[in-house]
Protein backbone atom coordinates (compact mmCIF):
# COMPACT_ATOMS: atom_id res chain seq x y z
CA UNK A 1 0.00 0.00 0.00
CA UNK A 2 2.80 2.40 0.91
CA UNK A 3 4.62 1.65 -2.33
CA UNK A 4 1.41 2.09 -4.26
CA UNK A 5 0.84 5.49 -2.63
CA UNK A 6 4.34 6.64 -3.34
CA UNK A 7 4.14 5.36 -6.96
CA UNK A 8 1.12 7.55 -7.51
CA UNK A 9 2.45 10.44 -5.47
CA UNK A 10 -0.29 10.27 -2.90
CA UNK A 11 0.80 11.47 0.52
CA UNK A 12 1.29 8.60 2.92
CA UNK A 13 -1.57 7.93 5.29
CA UNK A 14 -1.47 5.75 8.39
CA UNK A 15 -1.35 2.16 7.13
CA UNK A 16 -2.26 -1.02 8.97
CA UNK A 17 -2.26 -4.62 7.84
CA UNK A 18 -5.13 -6.98 8.45
CA UNK A 19 -6.47 -10.16 6.95
CA UNK A 20 -10.25 -10.26 7.02
CA UNK A 21 -12.40 -13.34 6.57
CA UNK A 22 -15.38 -12.06 4.64
CA UNK A 23 -17.61 -15.08 5.08
CA UNK A 24 -19.88 -14.08 8.02
CA UNK A 25 -20.22 -17.73 9.05
CA UNK A 26 -16.52 -18.23 9.62
CA UNK A 27 -15.37 -19.12 13.12
CA UNK A 28 -11.76 -18.28 13.81
CA UNK A 29 -9.81 -20.32 16.30
CA UNK A 30 -6.26 -19.06 16.48
CA UNK A 31 -3.99 -20.90 18.83
CA UNK A 32 -0.56 -19.49 19.58
CA UNK A 33 -0.57 -17.50 16.40
CA UNK A 34 1.64 -14.51 17.06
CA UNK A 35 -0.15 -12.21 14.63
CA UNK A 36 -3.63 -13.14 15.78
CA UNK A 37 -4.58 -9.49 16.24
CA UNK A 38 -4.26 -8.97 12.51
CA UNK A 39 -6.71 -11.73 11.63
CA UNK A 40 -10.29 -10.59 11.77
CA UNK A 41 -13.78 -11.69 10.99
CA UNK A 42 -15.82 -9.25 8.97
CA UNK A 43 -17.94 -8.31 12.01
CA UNK A 44 -14.90 -6.90 13.80
CA UNK A 45 -13.95 -4.48 11.04
CA UNK A 46 -16.12 -1.46 12.06
CA UNK A 47 -14.89 -1.64 15.67
CA UNK A 48 -11.25 -1.88 14.63
CA UNK A 49 -11.63 0.97 12.14
CA UNK A 50 -13.20 3.18 14.77
CA UNK A 51 -10.45 2.38 17.24
CA UNK A 52 -7.78 3.21 14.66
CA UNK A 53 -9.54 6.38 13.57
CA UNK A 54 -9.49 7.62 17.16
CA UNK A 55 -5.71 7.38 17.19
CA UNK A 56 -5.23 9.92 14.40
CA UNK A 57 -6.32 13.41 13.54
CA UNK A 58 -7.81 13.65 10.07
CA UNK A 59 -5.27 14.49 7.38
CA UNK A 60 -7.48 14.65 4.34
CA UNK A 61 -10.96 15.88 3.53
CA UNK A 62 -13.98 13.68 3.04
CA UNK A 63 -13.81 14.45 -0.69
CA UNK A 64 -10.16 13.44 -0.94
CA UNK A 65 -10.89 10.30 1.00
CA UNK A 66 -13.62 9.46 -1.49
CA UNK A 67 -11.28 10.03 -4.42
CA UNK A 68 -8.58 7.81 -2.99
CA UNK A 69 -11.14 5.16 -2.24
CA UNK A 70 -12.46 5.07 -5.82
CA UNK A 71 -8.92 5.16 -7.15
CA UNK A 72 -7.95 2.15 -5.05
CA UNK A 73 -11.01 0.24 -6.20
CA UNK A 74 -10.32 1.10 -9.83
CA UNK A 75 -6.75 -0.19 -9.52
CA UNK A 76 -7.71 -3.44 -7.85
CA UNK A 77 -6.04 -6.50 -9.36
CA UNK A 78 -6.26 -10.16 -8.55
CA UNK A 79 -3.08 -11.28 -6.94
CA UNK A 80 -0.98 -13.60 -9.01
CA UNK A 81 0.84 -16.31 -7.17
CA UNK A 82 2.26 -19.65 -8.22
CA UNK A 83 -0.07 -21.30 -5.76
CA UNK A 84 0.27 -24.89 -6.94
CA UNK A 85 4.06 -24.86 -6.89
CA UNK A 86 4.06 -23.05 -3.58
CA UNK A 87 1.98 -25.71 -1.89
CA UNK A 88 3.40 -28.58 -3.93
CA UNK A 89 0.06 -29.53 -5.38
CA UNK A 90 0.01 -31.48 -8.60
CA UNK A 91 -2.40 -30.71 -11.40
CA UNK A 92 -3.54 -34.32 -11.18
CA UNK A 93 -4.63 -33.75 -7.58
CA UNK A 94 -7.18 -31.10 -8.52
CA UNK A 95 -10.77 -32.20 -8.72
CA UNK A 96 -12.20 -32.09 -12.20
CA UNK A 97 -15.72 -31.32 -13.26
CA UNK A 98 -18.03 -28.36 -12.86
CA UNK A 99 -19.64 -28.14 -9.42
CA UNK A 100 -23.42 -27.93 -9.26
CA UNK A 101 -24.56 -24.53 -7.91
CA UNK A 102 -27.23 -26.34 -5.87
CA UNK A 103 -25.81 -29.58 -4.51
CA UNK A 104 -22.08 -28.79 -5.03
CA UNK A 105 -21.38 -32.22 -6.48
CA UNK A 106 -19.15 -32.20 -9.52
CA UNK A 107 -21.85 -33.84 -11.51
CA UNK A 108 -22.73 -31.22 -14.09
CA UNK A 109 -22.75 -32.38 -17.67
CA UNK A 110 -22.80 -30.13 -20.70
CA UNK A 111 -25.90 -30.55 -22.81
CA UNK A 112 -27.21 -28.24 -25.50
CA UNK A 113 -25.26 -25.16 -24.38
CA UNK A 114 -26.08 -25.51 -20.73
CA UNK A 115 -25.19 -27.53 -17.66
CA UNK A 116 -27.36 -30.12 -16.08
CA UNK A 117 -26.70 -31.81 -12.76
CA UNK A 118 -26.99 -35.57 -13.06
CA UNK A 119 -27.57 -35.79 -9.32
CA UNK A 120 -30.18 -33.14 -8.46
CA UNK A 121 -31.33 -32.08 -11.89
CA UNK A 122 -30.35 -28.39 -11.52
CA UNK A 123 -29.76 -26.59 -14.78
CA UNK A 124 -27.39 -23.70 -15.24
CA UNK A 125 -25.98 -21.65 -18.06
CA UNK A 126 -23.01 -20.23 -16.14
CA UNK A 127 -21.99 -22.92 -13.65
CA UNK A 128 -18.52 -23.00 -15.25
CA UNK A 129 -17.70 -19.28 -14.88
CA UNK A 130 -16.06 -19.40 -11.44
CA UNK A 131 -14.12 -22.57 -12.17
CA UNK A 132 -12.81 -21.15 -15.43
CA UNK A 133 -11.63 -18.02 -13.65
CA UNK A 134 -9.90 -20.09 -10.96
CA UNK A 135 -8.18 -22.11 -13.67
CA UNK A 136 -7.00 -18.90 -15.27
CA UNK A 137 -5.56 -17.77 -11.94
CA UNK A 138 -3.84 -21.11 -11.42
CA UNK A 139 -2.30 -21.15 -14.88
CA UNK A 140 -0.91 -17.63 -14.80
CA UNK A 141 -3.77 -16.66 -17.11
CA UNK A 142 -2.84 -19.08 -19.86
CA UNK A 143 -5.66 -21.48 -20.51
CA UNK A 144 -5.54 -24.00 -23.29
CA UNK A 145 -8.55 -25.54 -24.93
CA UNK A 146 -7.45 -29.08 -24.07
CA UNK A 147 -6.97 -28.22 -20.41
CA UNK A 148 -10.38 -26.56 -20.14
CA UNK A 149 -12.07 -29.41 -21.96
CA UNK A 150 -10.48 -31.92 -19.60
CA UNK A 151 -11.17 -29.94 -16.42
CA UNK A 152 -14.74 -29.03 -17.22
CA UNK A 153 -15.40 -32.42 -18.84
CA UNK A 154 -16.82 -30.93 -21.99
CA UNK A 155 -17.62 -33.48 -24.71
CA UNK A 156 -16.07 -31.71 -27.71
CA UNK A 157 -13.22 -29.32 -28.45
CA UNK A 158 -15.54 -27.12 -30.44
CA UNK A 159 -18.02 -26.74 -27.57
CA UNK A 160 -15.04 -25.89 -25.34
CA UNK A 161 -13.81 -23.16 -27.68
CA UNK A 162 -17.26 -21.58 -27.81
CA UNK A 163 -17.67 -21.73 -24.04
CA UNK A 164 -14.30 -20.03 -23.45
CA UNK A 165 -15.03 -17.30 -25.98
CA UNK A 166 -18.52 -16.65 -24.58
CA UNK A 167 -17.07 -16.36 -21.08
CA UNK A 168 -15.14 -13.29 -22.28
CA UNK A 169 -11.65 -14.77 -22.61
CA UNK A 170 -9.33 -13.49 -25.30
CA UNK A 171 -7.32 -15.67 -27.61
CA UNK A 172 -3.64 -15.29 -28.35
CA UNK A 173 -1.62 -17.42 -30.72
CA UNK A 174 -2.88 -19.93 -33.26
CA UNK A 175 -3.63 -23.64 -33.57
CA UNK A 176 -1.82 -25.78 -31.00
CA UNK A 177 -0.05 -22.78 -29.54
CA UNK A 178 -3.28 -20.90 -28.87
CA UNK A 179 -3.93 -19.80 -25.33
CA UNK A 180 -6.87 -18.01 -23.79
CA UNK A 181 -6.60 -15.35 -21.14
CA UNK A 182 -8.96 -13.34 -19.00
CA UNK A 183 -8.53 -9.62 -19.69
CA UNK A 184 -9.22 -8.82 -16.04
CA UNK A 185 -6.25 -10.74 -14.67
CA UNK A 186 -2.98 -8.82 -14.65
CA UNK A 187 -0.03 -10.10 -16.61
CA UNK A 188 2.37 -9.80 -13.68
CA UNK A 189 4.68 -12.75 -13.59
CA UNK A 190 4.16 -13.30 -17.27
CA UNK A 191 6.96 -13.66 -19.62
CA UNK A 192 5.32 -12.22 -22.70
CA UNK A 193 6.01 -14.50 -25.63
CA UNK A 194 6.03 -13.62 -29.28
CA UNK A 195 3.01 -15.82 -29.89
CA UNK A 196 1.62 -15.28 -26.43
CA UNK A 197 -0.22 -12.47 -24.78
CA UNK A 198 -0.62 -9.10 -26.23
CA UNK A 199 0.34 -7.18 -23.15
CA UNK A 200 0.23 -3.47 -23.66
CA UNK A 201 3.63 -1.84 -23.70
CA UNK A 202 2.67 0.63 -21.05
CA UNK A 203 1.97 -2.28 -18.72
CA UNK A 204 -0.74 -2.33 -16.14
CA UNK A 205 0.84 -0.23 -13.50
CA UNK A 206 0.62 3.25 -14.89
CA UNK A 207 -2.31 2.92 -17.26
CA UNK A 208 -4.43 5.26 -15.26
CA UNK A 209 -2.57 8.23 -13.98
CA UNK A 210 -3.08 9.57 -10.52
CA UNK A 211 -3.99 12.22 -9.55
CA UNK A 212 -6.79 12.01 -12.03
CA UNK A 213 -7.76 15.63 -11.93
CA UNK A 214 -5.10 17.21 -9.78
CA UNK A 215 -1.86 18.74 -10.89
CA UNK A 216 -0.57 18.20 -7.42
CA UNK A 217 -1.70 16.08 -4.54
CA UNK A 218 -3.28 17.07 -2.22
ZN1 LIG B 1 -26.82 -30.83 -8.25
Amino acid sequence: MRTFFSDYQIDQLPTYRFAVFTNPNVILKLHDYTEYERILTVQEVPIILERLANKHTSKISYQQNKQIRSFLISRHQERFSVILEKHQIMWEDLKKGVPCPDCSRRSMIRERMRWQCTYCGTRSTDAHTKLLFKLALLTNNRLTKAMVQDFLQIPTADATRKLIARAGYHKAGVRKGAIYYHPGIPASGHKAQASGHKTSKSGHKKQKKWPLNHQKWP
Side-chain angles (χ1 to χ4, degrees):
M1 178 65 91
R2 289 181 189 134
T3 313
F4 181 89
F5 273 23
S6 86
D7 278 358
Y8 288 96
Q9 281 130 42
I10 302 171
D11 278 355
Q12 292 296 334
L13 294 166
T15 316
Y16 297 90
R17 285 182 299 142
F18 290 100
V20 180
F21 283 79
T22 54
N23 183 335
N25 299 320
V26 82
I27 296 169
L28 286 180
K29 287 181 183 166
L30 300 165
H31 300 291
D32 304 329
Y33 184 67
T34 47
E35 299 242 48
Y36 72 96
E37 281 178 335
R38 295 189 200 282
I39 318 288
L40 308 177
T41 58
V42 71
Q43 293 91 336
E44 293 173 274
V45 173
I47 305 158
I48 296 281
L49 285 179
E50 213 161 287
R51 198 183 298 159
L52 293 175
N54 284 336
K55 282 195 192 176
H56 303 277
T57 50
S58 40
K59 269 180 93 175
I60 54 171
S61 69
Y62 177 75
Q63 204 53 34
Q64 290 167 327
N65 184 45
K66 233 170 109 176
Q67 280 179 326
I68 295 178
R69 192 180 61 194
S70 346
F71 186 63
L72 286 177
I73 293 170
S74 74
R75 304 301 297 135
H76 173 76
Q77 295 182 338
E78 292 293 338
R79 180 179 186 175
F80 166 75
S81 74
V82 277
I83 198 153
L84 293 184
E85 285 90 333
K86 195 175 156 195
H87 297 283
Q88 295 175 322
I89 299 168
M90 310 290 285
W91 268 106
E92 297 74 44
D93 295 336
L94 298 178
K95 286 181 181 162
K96 289 176 187 171
V98 175
C100 169
D102 253 10
C103 71
S104 302
R105 286 180 173 81
R106 288 174 195 270
S107 47
M108 300 295 267
I109 53 164
R110 189 88 180 147
E111 263 182 359
R112 279 170 299 212
M113 310 266 295
R114 66 176 178 213
W115 297 98
Q116 168 129 24
C117 178
T118 52
Y119 185 82
C120 74
T122 293
R123 285 176 183 168
S124 164
T125 50
D126 61 357
H128 59 279
T129 316
K130 271 188 193 166
L131 184 59
L132 206 54
F133 192 72
K134 284 179 189 169
L135 274 183
L137 288 175
L138 287 175
T139 55
N140 196 9
N141 209 8
R142 305 177 72 86
L143 295 171
T144 67
K145 202 164 61 182
M147 172 208 295
V148 173
Q149 185 179 353
D150 179 46
F151 250 91
L152 274 59
Q153 315 268 288
I154 303 172
T156 68
D158 199 45
T160 309
R161 183 183 55 77
K162 283 180 189 158
L163 179 138
I164 300 173
R166 285 204 187 93
Y169 288 73
H170 295 192
K171 188 181 175 186
V174 287
R175 293 190 196 94
K176 292 241 160 156
I179 59 121
Y180 298 83
Y181 63 97
H182 192 288
I185 301 175
S188 53
H190 272 169
K191 289 191 180 83
Q193 293 170 0
S195 63
H197 283 144
K198 283 179 186 144
T199 320
S200 66
K201 277 262 163 61
S202 61
H204 287 266
K205 213 174 175 187
K206 304 273 178 176
Q207 262 170 16
K208 208 166 173 183
K209 284 257 163 51
W210 173 274
L212 299 171
N213 46 7
H214 293 266
Q215 285 307 307
K216 239 180 101 193
W217 179 269

